[in-house]
Amino acid sequence: VGTATDAGGSHDPLTYSWSAFVEGVTDPVATASGINLTSFSFTPEVEGQFRLQLTVTDGDNGSHTDEQNFLVSPMPPPVPSITSVSPTREEGREIVVQGTATDIVYPSDELNYQWKVFRSGEATALVVSSGIDFREFRFTPSDEGQYRIELTASTIDGLADFVSHSIDVTNVSPSSVSHNLPTQVDEGQSFTLDVSGTDPGVDRVRMQINWGDGTAVQETSFSADVAGQRTLSASKTYSDGAASWTVQIQLIDEDGGSSGWQSLGTVNVRNVAPTATIDSIGAQRKEGLLVSVTGSATDPGGGSDPLNFAWKAFRGTDTTPVASRSGVNEGSFSFTPADDGEYLIELTVTDG
């Protein structure tokens, strides 16, 4: 707004010529001229020092110029704010974030919302998502740890500002889903236990197995570093039957989360009879002379199952033995035939 006085009064029309200059530029960025044009407005496109010039000219071409300098401040960016984050913050579980932003200069203008998620101070964002008036954002953290959520609000002219918020995401323990534990096996028979376990995080998982028979707890190697379901396997051979053993397992992830010990069921171990073999009969086979015999046996129970050898020698079709002997691991037997004829040697092996 400008004013002017003239000695000629209202008989002398006054022409107002306005010019606006930005510092360092010769030509005006805006001009206006007119009789009694006492007001002038323009929109500066840049920030910085400006000079406003007003020249008033009367009808006799008398003129006077006045100038004023003023500073144009930069346009303030919108002000973003993260207003809420889901209270439950666990790996593998969706987190909902809400935010808002205000354009101080033009409150009704649309704003672009850009969301980013960073993990544990990393420079590269795990998730980036944006949109006009995109006030609600969702993401699922793949692992436990600290995450930084960043919201940037920007105008159509590119003015922008951001705000960030950090959260702690907790670990979730693995759990078993299914298994193939047999209900019945033979002693000495090897079998493989497959357990399907799940962990919502991108975690390696190992399995501990208590086979119930007093042997040491068995532990598998860590599984692959993947999210969701994975299968862990272990092999077992029960050395002796008949017996029944309750099998327990627990799953442990790399962050220390544990499913806790849980029972898979009972395995009934069946006894398997040993196999007896007469290995040799001495070449000396005359009445009145000692005949030597050796034998052996195998048993799936191995050394944990003691074997009793029972030897008998019969003459012809007699049902009463002419000689007998028994004992644990008694692998040899001898007798003296009193007369010539055909003899039958019998070996029976019984396990524990």
Side-chain angles (χ1 to χ4, degrees), residues 10 12-18 32-39 56-57 59:
S10 60
D12 207 355
L14 301 179
T15 299
Y16 288 66
S17 297
W18 298 87
S33 179
I35 294 175
N36 294 326
L37 184 62
T38 58
S39 64
V56 179
T57 307

Side-chain angles (χ1 to χ4, degrees), residues 232-249:
L232 298 143
S233 302
S235 296
K236 175 64 176 176
T237 301
Y238 285 107
S239 61
D240 195 16
S244 295
W245 308 111
T246 298
V247 178
Q248 295 179 307
I249 66 159

Side-chain angles (χ1 to χ4, degrees), residues 20-285:
F21 300 85
V22 66
E23 186 178 43
V25 178
T26 304
D27 295 329
V29 296
T31 61
S33 179
I35 294 175
N36 294 326
L37 184 62
T38 58
S39 64
F40 168 63
S41 63
F42 75 101
T43 302
E45 296 182 357
V46 295
E47 60 182 280
Q49 192 73 32
F50 281 73
R51 175 169 53 90
L52 184 61
Q53 183 183 86
L54 171 60
T55 300
V56 179
T57 307
D58 63 17
D60 301 317
N61 290 324
S63 66
H64 178 75
T65 299
D66 188 26
E67 293 184 351
Q68 283 193 20
N69 294 322
F70 64 95
L71 181 66
V72 174
S73 301
M75 184 81 73
V79 180
S81 174
I82 295 175
T83 57
S84 69
V85 183
S86 297
T88 302
R89 303 162 187 180
E90 298 175 341
E91 63 180 9
R93 184 167 181 168
E94 186 179 64
I95 292 177
V96 180
V97 188
Q98 293 180 328
T100 186
T102 303
D103 190 331
I104 298 174
V105 180
Y106 302 107
S108 61
D109 280 5
E110 290 183 331
L111 296 175
N112 184 74
Y113 289 65
Q114 183 184 66
W115 296 91
K116 293 182 179 180
V117 178
F118 302 84
R119 185 174 187 271
S120 301
E122 294 178 0
T124 303
L126 298 174
V127 183
V128 179
S129 188
S130 62
I132 299 297
D133 205 31
F134 186 29
R135 298 170 182 263
E136 184 174 283
F137 167 65
R138 297 166 182 262
F139 76 100
T140 301
S142 61
D143 202 0
E144 57 86 28
Q146 189 176 75
Y147 289 76
R148 186 177 86 256
I149 304 167
E150 186 177 289
L151 168 60
T152 299
S154 58
T155 67
I156 193 172
D157 300 318
L159 293 173
D161 199 2
F162 76 95
V163 66
S164 64
H165 180 76
S166 294
I167 62 171
D168 291 317
V169 174
T170 58
N171 182 57
V172 178
S173 297
S175 60
S176 64
V177 177
S178 61
H179 62 85
N180 66 343
L181 182 72
T183 58
Q184 190 166 263
V185 296
D186 290 336
E187 63 178 3
Q189 173 190 347
S190 177
F191 66 93
T192 299
L193 170 64
D194 297 319
V195 174
S196 177
T198 184
D199 190 302
V202 182
D203 290 335
R204 296 179 302 146
V205 176
R206 58 190 170 94
M207 177 172 63
Q208 291 183 333
I209 312 105
N210 183 344
W211 296 106
D213 60 348
T215 56
V217 170
Q218 186 175 348
E219 186 169 301
T220 68
S221 301
F222 274 113
S223 67
D225 201 4
V226 296
Q229 193 162 311
R230 75 286 314 274
T231 298
L232 298 143
S233 302
S235 296
K236 175 64 176 176
T237 301
Y238 285 107
S239 61
D240 195 16
S244 295
W245 308 111
T246 298
V247 178
Q248 295 179 307
I249 66 159
Q250 69 171 339
L251 303 182
I252 304 170
D253 67 23
E254 61 183 325
D255 300 314
S258 169
S259 65
W261 286 103
Q262 51 189 295
S263 174
L264 298 187
T266 299
V267 179
N268 296 306
V269 183
R270 295 173 298 199
N271 182 60
V272 178
T275 299
T277 302
I278 296 175
D279 297 319
S280 67
I281 301 175
Q284 180 175 269
R285 304 173 185 179

Side-chain angles (χ1 to χ4, degrees), residues 299-334:
D299 187 85
S304 60
D305 212 356
L307 300 179
N308 185 75
F309 287 63
W311 294 92
K312 291 180 181 179
F314 299 86
R315 184 177 186 276
T317 58
D318 292 347
T319 57
T320 301
V322 297
S324 62
R325 182 183 180 184
S326 64
V328 175
N329 296 326
E330 197 69 60
S332 62
F333 168 64
S334 61

